């Protein structure tokens, strides 16, 4: 269910040296950014490749629950990846008015659970920290997840 836009990935790698991948699901979309020394295509195939990753950042964008996306927040997400040597999952959740409470938070919970399962069972990362981040509405979602 993984789809990669080769043009976007090439542009990102050339200009910022960070691999990117996007995964789309019924209720959410996840953009994945990884450190340049890691290859996304090899992440699930070789546990040695992901040994060095100790931080997994799950990001929820701001925008008052009505606008913005992971792409609009890439500037600082790229800094997280490069300065923290972290794997970043940025979640695009369903926006209002098309989604009503509690569907929005439920889709974010599903995204969180999906990402944690992917990281531990497929990528086989061990002893990693999960960092939840978000600005504005995204921060509100983070608080809802940990509550």
């Amino acid at each position: 269910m993984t789809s990669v836009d080769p043009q976007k990935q090439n542009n990102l790698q050339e200009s910022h040296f960070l691999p990117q991948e996007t995964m789309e699901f019924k209720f959410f979309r996840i953009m994945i950014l990884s450190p340049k020394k890691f290859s996304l295509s090899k992440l699930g195939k070789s546990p040695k490749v992901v040994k060095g990753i100790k931080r997994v950042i799950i990001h929820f964008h701001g925008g008052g629950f009505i606008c913005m996306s992971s792409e609009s927040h890439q500037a600082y997400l790229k800094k997280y990846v490069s300065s923290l040597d972290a794997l970043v999952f940025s979640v695009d959740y369903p926006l209002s008015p098309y989604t009503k409470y509690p569907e929005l938070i439920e889709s974010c919970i599903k995204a969180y659970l999906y990402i944690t399962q992917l990281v531990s069972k497929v990528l086989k990362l061990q002893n990693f920290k999960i960092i939840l981040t978000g600005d504005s509405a995204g921060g509100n979602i983070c608080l809802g997840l940990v509550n």
Side-chain angles (χ1 to χ4, degrees), residues 41-125:
S41 61
K42 296 178 184 174
L43 277 179
K45 299 174 188 168
S46 172
K48 285 188 264 180
V49 175
V50 295
K51 257 188 183 173
I53 296 179
K54 295 295 180 196
R55 295 176 195 90
V56 173
I57 297 174
I58 302 175
H59 175 263
F60 296 91
H61 64 82
F65 301 108
I66 60 168
C67 61
M68 308 304 266
S69 69
S70 296
E71 291 175 3
S72 60
H73 291 69
Q74 277 193 31
Y76 66 83
L77 293 177
K78 290 173 188 171
K79 289 180 183 177
Y80 290 171
V81 173
S82 61
S83 63
L84 298 175
D85 214 18
L87 190 58
V88 174
F89 295 85
S90 186
V91 178
D92 284 331
Y93 49 85
L95 302 173
S96 287
Y98 309 105
T99 304
K100 303 289 184 202
Y101 182 84
E103 292 172 38
L104 183 143
I105 193 70
E106 288 172 351
S107 69
C108 292
I109 292 168
K110 288 176 186 176
Y112 172 84
L113 293 173
Y114 175 82
I115 292 166
T116 56
Q117 291 294 309
L118 174 73
V119 168
S120 62
K121 301 222 186 294
V122 177
L123 303 182
K124 300 186 186 320
L125 290 182

Side-chain angles (χ1 to χ4, degrees), residues 8-26:
K8 276 187 178 179
Q9 187 174 17
N10 288 340
N11 289 342
L12 187 62
Q13 286 178 336
E14 289 171 11
S15 61
H16 301 285
F17 306 103
L18 299 173
Q20 174 185 334
E21 191 165 339
T22 302
M23 305 172 87
E24 296 197 30
F25 300 90
K26 183 176 179 183

